Amino acid sequence: METGIAISFWILAAVTIASALAVVLFRNIFHAALFLVLCFFTIAGIFVILSADFLAAAQVLIYVGAIAVLIIFAIMLTRETQRGSPSGRLRLPALMVGLLFLATMVFIVVSTDWQVITEIPDQPTTSAIAQALFSGEEGFVLPFEIAAALLLAAIIGAIVLVRER
Amino acid sequence: MVVGLEHFLILSAILFSIGLYGALAKRNAVVILMSIEIMLNAVNISMVAFWRYIAPALMTGQVFVIFIMVVAAAEVAVGLAIIIAIYRSRETVDAEQIDLMKW
Amino acid sequence: MPLKTEPVMINFGPQHPSTHGVFRMRITFDGEVIVDMEPIFGYLHRGIEKLAESRTYTQNIPYTDRLDYLASMSNNLAYVMAVENLAGIAVPERAEYLRVIMAELMRIASHLMAVGALLNDMGAFFTPFMYMFREREKILDLFEMVCGQRLTYNYMRIGGVSQDIPEEFLPALKRFIDEMLGFIDEYDQLLAENEILLARSKGVGILPAELAINASVSGPMLRASGVKWDIRRADPYSVYDRFDFEIPTGKMGDTYDRYWVRIQEMRQSTRVVKQAMEQLPQGEVRAKVPLTLRPPKGEAYARIEAPKGELGFYLVSDDSANPYRFKVRAPSLINLTVLRDLCLGWKLADAIVIFGSIDICLGEVDR
Amino acid sequence: MGILEQFEQWLVNYWPSWAAYLVPPLVAFAILSTFILVVVMAFIYIERRGIGRFQVRLGPNRAGPFGVLQPVADAIKVLIKEDIIPAKGDRWVHWLAPIIAFIPALMIFAVIPFGHGAIFADLNIGILYIIAISSLGIIGVFMAGWGSNNKYSLVSAMRTVAQMISYEIPLVLSIIGVLIITGSLSMVSIVEGQHVPFLLLQPLGFLIFFLAAAAEINRTPFDLLEAESEIVAGYHIEYSGMKFGLFYLGEYTHAFAISAIVAILFLGGWSGPFLPPALWFLIKVFSVFIVLFWLRSTLPRLRVDQLMGFAWKCLFPLALINIFITGIEAIIWPNFPWQLLILNILIAALLIVLWSGFFRVAGERVSFERYGRGIAKGLALTFRHLFRHPITVQYPEQRLTPSRRFRGNLLVWDVERCNGCRACARMCPISIIDIETARGDKGLVVERLEIDFGRCMFCGLCVEACPVEALFMSRDYEKASYRRELLVMKKEQFVAAEKRPSAYAYPELEAEMPPQTLLAPPKGGR
């Protein structure tokens, strides 16, 4: 079981990183978007490894099914494919910032002594998430409602923005 | 080799840095949006990893991920709407050419 | 600050499943809305009008079959009427009745084809098309019985028809006519109230009566726009003044009305055929006319109400065996001229449906 | 699953541990995919035959008994066809698209229970998994539309995205009613939770789900992305060979999956009296699929804006109302007694009636105000046609008798009577009759006669022109050749040919000929 998880992790991590790199490095923007889909999908796989099954499904549903498709749609609507996705003037500084950030994070992660709990949570997470979201006292009912309002606002905003006048 | 919390966190950090680089370096607004999505996903991974290895009893990590997804969806909807609106009036989505606050 | 999108140009045809032949439309659309369209034809041009000048009057009859090949009998009829006008030939009465029967059967067959293809353009998966082909097949059977061919009949002759009907023709025709009304009711059941068909055709591609008249549109298209103009009534030819039938007209001139008018005309055609069958006299079917005819110098025009509209043949004779000038007034071509006006502002899918509702035959458009 | 367990035990005993971990799922997957392929082939066969019968045709009936091997023949044809990649297309995208379109459809079956315990993986998020996975297929369609470098494909791709995003929402929302009642996302517990089929308890949810699912798998009247009359074939216009085959297979696999999901969510899955569970399940799946192609054979297609309007103005609010009503019912009657179904059916009917009043076409309330009565009438008519005799014939075996006056594609020439007057050659409108005559004992003798039947249009004027009744149309049909010159008939061939003259222009010949086969038969139907 452990070996299986390890193998899956390494494969998934490699694909995730490769596809994320492809997203930012490819000049063909449509290919970049397709690699973004792959990246999202492998991240869903990583969620499965982390035994967050509900989130894995939600990841595929929301990121792959909705967000990635929207992005591809936007690419077609803007017809920027001929120009591709070139890098700007900030390429080198951006690279520096990225590497610096990465180094800091790796240092922090490695140097921190994490209080890891070893036993594996093997219960279905769906009802637990529901409990956490909607339970009275320490639940997230208000944020949930606000999220709903946010989505509504975003939908209306998007419609208003792109409406043909 | 046993996979632990650090692995997921470092994966998350790498993804975040890639997203950061893309968001800063790229000129196409849609690619910038895509990079931001990668960053959000990196955060999601670390959230779930923390939940899994630090506090499996509390579902807060997962709940946070859900909220991040909601925000990401809203962000993409509005962001793409803005990009398309800009494209229709300026016929470009090059972030370096969209530098006017008003036109 | 007006928002704008980039228009896209797309070529429909010449090879496209719903251009009813080799027709091409260059459509510029914005999103899915048509902003410009340019009909381009001529892919099936065979120069029939010029070819006809080097052939004798009789030899031209098979050529007219190949104009509107979905209504060959009507083409035959219009052409031989023009030649008869030119040469002043009287046609035996039985032949006139046979001609009327054939022309009306042809109208039913052509309308069946038009409506079936229209439904196919709307996306019905061949079912109405197959049902209508079934009935068209019966008409083709009848034609085959009379003249031995199923598509290019070459049945009419100058001064009559090529041969008398065989004895089994009338019973078979009677059976068909009796069945046909029931089948038209079936089409109504399948189509007339179908919500999707209504949604796709009501109000789509409205042709105002004024535009229709100005563009010289004729046939079911004109009548769908509410103009009660049918040459069978307005300028009766053959023996049409002896029959009792109605001229259905539409109200709005939209795609649905064009569909509806065709369905109603099929009903009226069955009435005409029934009456013609009852009144059919005995006698000769062909006046004594030499196969190589030399009409006197002059010119003549004959027009009939073909299934697709006013079909006219204009002939000029220079006293030789061949026509000096042979001109076809092709209803398909003239009805097609309003296509652009009908389609602008509608969706891509509507353009196909509007085009289908015009009911053209490329053989006649390009000649 | 006794055999599978024994097999697993055997693996554990004799194989390394990783094999025991890996092999059983692989074996199960192989069995499952084979089964799916068989069912999909059955689907293809049934649909083609069924639509044939709806259209009073025979349908495919050549390959194997009753044409059952037709899908196999199709598959072979598709496999050996040339694979074409558009020159300026996006090679990789074009190549990957069919795979990405097909795999998710197959993956759905991982959580579909075919019977008690007959399930690949009983995920506790089963239905969510299905929704998530089935949304992947869009990407494949989209890639196909993009990678083909074809404007029709691109229009189709745009339509795909718009349609999928729109119909995903009512699809998901309509399931929520079911989930409220069962309180589980697992497919197995949804089936086990159905004491009454949810079709009755959730009639509105069923209708919404069915319509949205039909849109999801591009069935008529929602098949806009491959609308053959508008955008020819949409996204797979540039595909051929096995890549097209994958799209085709994926489409039917998806149809199978959706039918299975409908059967599980709303028809009680495998449960049913007397028959074995798996059989019940298949019966339900096939009934759903039959309804799908029944609709396909009856209805025209919606326009793109009507399609979107239908999703957003009709299905979406109705799905929300359905959730609301189900939620209230869950609070009042937590156990959902079966009596509730009367109430729910009434509510559904009321809502549909109310909602259909909103729809106007061209300013007139014509379209949906009749609550789909026109569609129902059409469906009834096509259903009646299902039991009519097909009107088509199997051509080479069953031949129709042509008319006695049939102008077949040959001429019959009576050399004895011919006086070489050349009237036929003069009459021919296209001048293909070539006669050379010489003076003989009794007038002219034909020395050379050549007629090019590759150009002949069988107008019959030559026969009519013949003054001595020496030329006849023939009653033969079927004349073909690979070489044009073989279609030119010479004098010797005319003399030697079997003489089957038709009565064209010779009505006196008609008497001894067999009567013509008519589609309108003497009485009754054929």
Side-chain angles (χ1 to χ4, degrees):
Chain A
M1 199 63 188
E2 275 302 316
T3 358
I5 283 183
I7 294 170
S8 323
F9 172 78
W10 288 115
I11 294 172
L12 285 174
V15 176
T16 310
I17 290 169
S19 52
L21 278 175
V23 171
V24 295
L25 294 182
F26 270 32
R27 276 189 74 89
N28 185 330
I29 181 167
F30 189 75
H31 288 179
L34 291 179
F35 275 105
L36 186 72
V37 174
L38 180 62
C39 182
F40 288 158
F41 197 66
T42 48
I43 288 173
I46 286 170
F47 286 171
V48 171
I49 294 179
L50 287 166
S51 51
D53 49 0
F54 179 80
L55 280 189
Q59 168 88 11
V60 175
L61 186 59
I62 294 172
Y63 275 103
V64 180
I67 291 180
V69 171
L70 267 186
I71 286 176
I72 293 175
F73 205 45
I75 288 172
M76 304 190 91
L77 281 181
T78 54
R79 298 211 191 90
E80 277 294 281
T81 40
Q82 284 90 1
R83 242 172 290 177
S85 86
S87 296
R89 283 164 309 208
L90 286 175
R91 200 156 72 100
L92 273 181
L95 189 63
M96 303 289 282
V97 171
L99 287 178
L100 196 67
F101 178 82
L102 180 61
T104 324
M105 290 309 285
V106 169
F107 174 72
I108 293 172
V109 167
V110 172
S111 61
T112 313
D113 180 24
W114 300 102
Q115 303 289 313
V116 172
I117 295 172
T118 42
E119 108 269 10
I120 303 157
D122 208 16
Q123 83 281 20
T125 56
T126 317
S127 51
I129 290 175
Q131 289 288 337
L133 265 178
F134 300 115
S135 66
E137 316 279 288
E138 63 266 27
F140 292 83
V141 179
L142 186 61
F144 185 81
E145 296 295 334
I146 292 172
L150 172 75
L151 276 179
L152 186 65
I155 292 169
I156 293 171
I159 292 171
V160 169
L161 271 173
V162 233
R163 232 163 78 122
E164 306 234 6
R165 263 158 273 173
Chain B
M1 187 177 164
V2 178
V3 177
L5 175 61
E6 289 85 354
H7 294 88
F8 290 100
L9 291 183
I10 288 171
L11 170 66
S12 157
I14 294 173
L15 277 185
F16 195 90
S17 324
I18 294 171
L20 191 62
Y21 167 76
L24 291 177
K26 285 298 181 176
R27 278 165 59 177
N28 189 321
V30 180
V31 179
I32 293 176
L33 207 64
M34 280 152 63
S35 306
I36 293 172
E37 290 304 320
I38 293 178
M39 285 157 76
L40 287 172
N41 267 284
V43 174
N44 282 357
I45 292 178
S46 59
M47 288 280 183
V48 180
F50 279 131
W51 162 79
R52 165 72 172 72
Y53 287 100
I54 307 280
L58 284 173
M59 298 308 286
T60 322
Q62 293 213 28
V63 169
F64 244 91
V65 172
I66 289 173
F67 282 125
I68 290 174
M69 283 178 183
V70 170
V71 172
E75 174 233 322
V76 162
V78 177
L80 290 177
I82 291 172
I83 290 172
I84 289 171
I86 288 175
Y87 178 77
R88 279 183 183 165
S89 55
R90 305 283 308 253
E91 297 200 340
T92 182
V93 289
D94 190 334
E96 292 187 2
Q97 286 177 32
I98 315 169
D99 47 3
L100 294 171
M101 293 296 280
K102 197 176 174 215
W103 59 80
Chain C
M1 178 194 70
L3 290 174
K4 54 177 184 280
T5 47
E6 214 174 304
V8 173
M9 201 274 286
I10 196 165
N11 256 319
F12 270 76
Q15 309 296 337
H16 187 282
S18 23
T19 50
H20 300 208
V22 279
F23 181 68
R24 176 171 161 215
M25 291 183 274
R26 198 152 63 194
I27 299 180
T28 312
F29 62 96
D30 179 1
E32 290 237 359
V33 181
I34 295 167
V35 292
D36 192 15
M37 114 170 307
E38 186 189 351
I40 302 163
F41 36 74
Y43 290 93
L44 200 62
H45 179 66
R46 295 151 296 172
I48 285 183
E49 287 180 355
K50 192 71 193 167
L51 281 173
E53 289 170 15
S54 58
R55 273 155 186 75
T56 65
Y57 287 93
T58 307
Q59 281 176 347
N60 278 332
I61 299 173
Y63 279 88
T64 61
D65 282 338
R66 285 148 179 86
L67 289 171
D68 178 358
Y69 40 78
L70 300 174
S72 307
M73 285 286 188
S74 307
N75 300 349
N76 280 184
L77 174 58
Y79 174 69
V80 296
M81 272 173 58
V83 181
E84 282 153 11
N85 286 357
L86 195 61
I89 295 165
V91 182
E93 193 148 272
R94 185 174 170 86
E96 291 279 27
Y97 274 95
L98 289 180
R99 285 177 175 188
V100 167
I101 290 174
M102 297 307 160
E104 292 305 314
L105 283 178
M106 201 70 247
R107 186 186 317 281
I108 297 175
S110 173
H111 283 352
L112 283 172
M113 185 82 179
V115 174
L118 172 65
L119 262 294
N120 248 28
D121 290 346
M122 262 180 217
F125 187 72
F126 286 96
T127 308
F129 199 60
M130 286 301 296
Y131 291 177
M132 289 176 182
F133 254 55
R134 177 186 54 190
E135 268 66 74
R136 180 171 178 267
E137 189 75 13
K138 292 172 183 165
I139 295 175
L140 297 193
D141 275 351
L142 291 173
F143 286 155
E144 187 190 348
M145 187 187 285
V146 171
C147 68
Q149 285 290 47
R150 301 168 57 80
L151 196 65
T152 50
Y153 309 110
N154 187 20
Y155 180 58
M156 314 272 177
R157 288 289 178 278
I158 299 156
V161 294
S162 73
Q163 7 178 8
D164 202 353
I165 47 174
E167 77 240 14
E168 70 262 36
F169 177 77
L170 280 180
L173 177 65
K174 188 169 176 350
R175 217 161 40 231
F176 167 74
I177 289 298
D178 291 344
E179 280 179 1
M180 191 57 207
L181 284 173
F183 284 122
I184 296 174
D185 290 341
E186 276 193 355
Y187 305 149
D188 268 353
Q189 195 189 344
L190 179 64
L191 303 171
E193 291 181 35
N194 190 316
E195 280 81 355
I196 295 176
L197 182 133
L198 292 175
R200 283 299 300 277
S201 60
K202 275 264 180 189
V204 173
I206 295 176
L207 175 66
E210 200 186 347
L211 174 64
I213 294 169
N214 286 346
S216 186
V217 165
S218 56
M221 264 192 93
L222 178 68
R223 291 191 283 277
S225 296
V227 184
K228 206 166 181 147
W229 172 260
D230 187 321
I231 298 169
R232 290 177 291 176
R233 269 291 151 75
D235 179 14
Y237 53 94
S238 197
V239 287
Y240 272 109
D241 46 355
R242 302 181 196 176
F243 304 122
D244 172 35
F245 62 96
E246 282 151 31
I247 302 167
T249 50
K251 293 188 201 75
M252 282 168 75
D254 57 4
T255 306
Y256 181 79
D257 279 349
R258 292 195 275 275
Y259 153 80
W260 183 85
V261 162
R262 291 204 172 94
I263 294 277
Q264 297 307 316
E265 280 190 7
M266 284 195 252
R267 292 186 205 271
Q268 298 305 327
S269 287
T270 56
R271 278 180 67 188
V272 174
V273 174
K274 210 175 242 172
Q275 292 170 41
M277 232 163 30
E278 283 157 7
Q279 301 174 14
L280 184 65
Q282 293 298 325
E284 278 296 302
V285 294
R286 194 167 171 181
K288 288 273 174 278
V289 177
L291 273 176
T292 312
L293 177 74
R294 286 174 196 276
K297 215 172 217 160
E299 53 189 85
Y301 179 72
R303 57 177 182 173
I304 65 159
E305 184 69 29
K308 295 180 172 66
E310 177 185 336
L311 173 68
F313 277 85
Y314 174 68
L315 298 173
V316 179
S317 161
D318 60 352
D319 203 16
S320 71
N322 305 342
Y324 175 76
R325 179 78 175 95
F326 176 100
K327 166 85 178 85
V328 187
R329 189 233 184 252
S332 294
L333 173 70
I334 291 163
N335 290 355
L336 199 57
T337 51
V338 291
L339 178 65
R340 185 175 183 276
D341 301 284
L342 295 187
C343 287
L344 287 196
W346 289 98
K347 300 267 188 308
L348 205 56
D350 290 326
I352 300 293
V353 172
I354 293 168
F355 178 68
S357 76
I358 294 178
D359 180 26
I360 61 155
C361 175
L362 259 297
E364 193 175 59
V365 174
D366 294 340
R367 299 200 284 287
Chain D
M1 297 293 264
I3 300 167
L4 210 66
E5 272 162 20
Q6 280 177 21
F7 178 64
E8 218 169 310
Q9 197 57 46
W10 175 76
L11 279 174
V12 168
N13 291 344
Y14 299 101
W15 284 65
S17 61
W18 58 266
Y21 182 66
L22 213 58
V23 169
L26 282 181
V27 171
F29 178 74
I31 294 170
L32 186 64
S33 8
T34 316
F35 172 71
I36 290 165
L37 281 184
V38 169
V39 174
V40 162
M41 283 187 163
F43 264 39
I44 294 172
Y45 172 71
I46 288 177
E47 169 158 34
R48 292 187 61 175
R49 288 290 284 198
I51 286 190
R53 294 313 296 268
F54 276 127
Q55 298 175 344
V56 288
R57 288 187 288 125
L58 284 163
N61 60 352
R62 287 312 169 95
F66 304 107
V68 283
L69 295 180
Q70 185 65 37
V72 182
D74 284 352
I76 292 170
K77 184 202 86 171
V78 147
L79 275 170
I80 59 180
K81 265 178 95 166
E82 186 192 357
D83 183 35
I84 297 165
I85 298 173
K88 290 191 176 168
D90 196 330
R91 249 192 125 71
W92 283 100
V93 174
H94 187 267
W95 190 83
L96 267 175
I99 300 168
I100 292 181
F102 174 64
I103 297 288
L106 203 59
M107 278 166 74
I108 292 176
F109 287 93
V111 296
I112 300 238
F114 293 92
H116 282 288
I119 182 169
F120 189 75
D122 182 14
L123 296 187
N124 55 36
I125 50 157
I127 190 72
L128 195 63
Y129 166 86
I130 288 175
I131 294 162
I133 287 297
S134 61
S135 68
L136 279 178
I138 317 167
I139 309 254
V141 172
F142 202 81
M143 284 165 70
W146 178 270
S148 299
N149 189 29
N150 181 316
K151 279 179 188 164
Y152 290 123
S153 306
L154 200 64
V155 171
S156 160
M158 299 288 236
R159 285 183 177 184
T160 312
V161 176
Q163 178 176 338
M164 293 292 181
I165 289 182
S166 308
Y167 277 87
E168 198 106 294
I169 292 163
L171 187 81
V172 175
L173 291 182
S174 60
I175 296 173
I176 291 180
V178 171
L179 301 185
I180 290 176
I181 300 177
T182 54
S184 170
L185 292 170
S186 152
M187 299 301 263
V188 173
S189 24
I190 286 173
V191 172
E192 280 165 354
Q194 286 184 57
H195 304 296
V196 185
F198 286 156
L199 167 63
L200 301 173
L201 212 50
Q202 282 280 317
L204 195 56
F206 168 75
L207 269 181
I208 297 166
F209 184 85
F210 189 77
L211 292 174
E216 193 82 358
I217 53 175
N218 323 324
R219 305 293 295 196
T220 317
F222 309 109
D223 59 342
L224 276 133
L225 44 158
E226 45 194 289
E228 75 284 339
S229 62
E230 301 151 26
I231 48 175
V232 193
Y235 60 92
H236 56 61
I237 186 169
E238 295 284 3
Y239 280 87
S240 66
M242 196 52 219
K243 286 192 221 152
F244 170 77
L246 272 184
F247 274 124
Y248 193 68
L249 211 58
E251 199 173 296
Y252 278 90
T253 313
H254 213 150
F256 177 25
I258 288 288
S259 310
I261 295 164
V262 171
I264 288 167
L265 291 183
F266 294 101
L267 302 178
W270 67 76
S271 51
F274 312 123
L275 297 173
L279 195 60
W280 263 115
F281 183 72
L282 281 182
I283 288 172
K284 285 169 182 174
V285 167
F286 275 96
S287 334
V288 175
F289 183 69
I290 286 169
V291 173
L292 275 175
F293 74 72
W294 182 14
L295 286 174
R296 181 180 179 200
S297 63
T298 310
L299 298 180
R301 187 182 299 123
L302 282 170
R303 209 201 302 152
V304 65
D305 55 329
Q306 292 163 348
L307 180 89
M308 305 297 279
F310 186 60
W312 288 105
K313 293 181 194 156
C314 182
L315 294 184
F316 176 61
L318 282 180
L320 284 183
I321 292 173
N322 184 45
I323 295 175
F324 184 67
I325 291 169
T326 317
I328 289 175
E329 286 172 357
I331 293 169
I332 303 175
W333 301 283
N335 293 326
F336 284 93
W338 67 267
Q339 288 87 347
L340 211 55
L341 65 90
I342 299 161
L343 178 67
N344 276 349
I345 289 172
L346 283 180
I347 290 175
L350 186 70
L351 276 174
I352 291 167
V353 168
L354 280 179
W355 224 261
S356 47
F358 287 130
F359 278 84
R360 280 148 203 263
V361 171
E364 270 184 84
R365 281 176 52 170
V366 284
S367 174
F368 288 90
E369 70 163 349
R370 275 181 299 228
Y371 333 120
R373 211 185 72 199
I375 291 176
K377 276 167 100 175
L379 284 172
L381 183 75
T382 40
F383 188 72
R384 278 213 305 280
H385 275 79
L386 190 58
F387 303 105
R388 293 200 186 166
H389 246 285
I391 51 159
T392 47
V393 294
Q394 307 194 40
Y395 168 57
E397 294 93 24
Q398 288 173 283
R399 295 179 196 216
L400 303 180
T401 318
S403 155
R404 291 185 274 203
R405 296 175 177 179
F406 183 60
R407 309 211 292 263
N409 45 15
L410 277 180
L411 290 176
V412 174
W413 180 50
D414 191 341
V415 66
E416 304 296 321
R417 285 192 194 163
C418 182
N419 63 359
C421 68
R422 298 167 55 94
C424 47
R426 275 200 307 277
M427 198 62 212
C428 181
I430 44 177
S431 315
I432 54 161
I433 304 181
D434 191 3
I435 304 183
E436 273 177 27
T437 49
R439 198 155 289 281
D441 313 335
K442 299 175 284 178
L444 293 168
V445 172
V446 174
E447 287 209 318
R448 196 166 73 86
L449 173 63
E450 272 186 28
I451 301 180
D452 181 358
F453 286 104
R455 289 179 60 208
C456 180
M457 57 189 194
F458 310 101
C459 60
L461 287 179
C462 50
V463 176
E464 277 180 57
C466 186
V468 290
E469 305 194 344
L471 205 55
F472 303 83
M473 299 305 293
S474 110
R475 273 159 61 224
D476 294 299
Y477 51 114
E478 299 171 325
K479 181 173 176 63
S481 167
Y482 285 108
R483 294 167 64 194
R484 269 197 93 79
E485 64 259 36
L486 295 182
L487 292 171
V488 180
M489 267 185 81
K490 309 251 162 47
K491 180 188 168 190
E492 303 73 47
Q493 288 167 287
F494 275 112
V495 174
E498 187 194 354
K499 293 191 170 39
R500 297 180 60 214
S502 93
Y504 181 76
Y506 302 101
E508 60 274 16
L509 280 182
E510 269 173 19
E512 66 265 27
M513 287 182 205
Q516 178 189 354
T517 324
L518 290 179
L519 196 57
K523 48 182 175 293
R526 183 170 65 205

